[in-house]
Amino acid sequence: MATPIGNLGDIAPRVKETLAEVDLILAEDTRVTIKLLNHLGVKKRMLSCHNFNEKSRLQIISQCSHLNQKVALVSDAGTPLVSDPGSEIIRQSIESGMRIIPIPGPSAFLLALVASGLPCDRFVFEGFLPNKTGLLKQRLEELRNEQRTIIFYEAPHRLLKTLAVIKDVLGERKMCLARELTKLHEEIIRSNVSEIIAGIETKSSQIRGEYVLVIEGCKKDDLVISAQENELPAKITQMLKSGLSVKTIVQEITKTYKMKRSEVYQLALQMQRERAEKTDTVPTTK
Ligand code: SAM
């Protein structure tokens, strides 16, 4: 079940009731969750649940299940499993036939997305980016042609470096930096990557708190044709084989790739002719 990401006023009534009613709480950090329980006036048996002990906790859940007891899973803040422990427990509990009841509440990425002013109809949540510069660049390269809005979590001490690499690899884009959501010092800055970097540099000594980065997806005109995508002839051959007309092929290809219709048309036509010569049939240019 999800717990607040800062503002205790955001705790959902069903979460309160359930915490009071369950037999055991599995918490990412019991020292954090005890504060929430104290706030709610709930006393409950608690055990820690981290990535490294998730498997051993499964045995306990299984015992509880045999005794018809209920177990709650919470993380320090927000929705468990979202860049937090719990995936293994949920996966194995499902496999063992246990009932999982998700109880909703806040998650930082969703709040940042809806406040960003960027498209929310299609988005991709990437969690934390890798630490090491090489891997960070590689991950961002993979996202260069991503057309959906992209969301990252980031720690304050890595923020400037990450933004610099984003600017380098993804180029200038609109973005939103959401800080300390639901808390006293909540701040939501909507601008572009360069201006956000410049703004942070002026107050670099005060980069504190929790951040979500929401980045505009790649515009169709900025799509970069990679070596793999350049294998257009193979794609066209496949489309011709499946019986698509040259006109449809041109429509489909130009939907995805930054290429002129006339270029694709010429290429598809030429390939259709070559195929026809091989199979000795008359090509149609419909
Ligand atoms: N499970 C949580 C959720 O549902 O959002 C995320 C946990 S993850 C370990 C922690 C990261 O979430 C932080 O480093 C930050 O990027 C983001 N985050 C959590 N609380 C936030 C807040 N109040 N404001 C902005 N970002 C937050």
Side-chain angles (χ1 to χ4, degrees), residues 5-6 28 75 77-84 106-109 128 152-155 178-183 210-212:
I5 56 167
E28 181 184 2
S75 62
T79 304
L81 281 74
V82 176
S83 295
D84 266 341
S107 197
F109 83 87
F128 288 99
F152 301 110
Y153 281 164
E154 193 48 286
R179 174 178 173 263
E180 296 286 87
L181 290 165
T182 78
K183 302 185 199 177
E210 302 198 272
Y211 290 87
V212 184

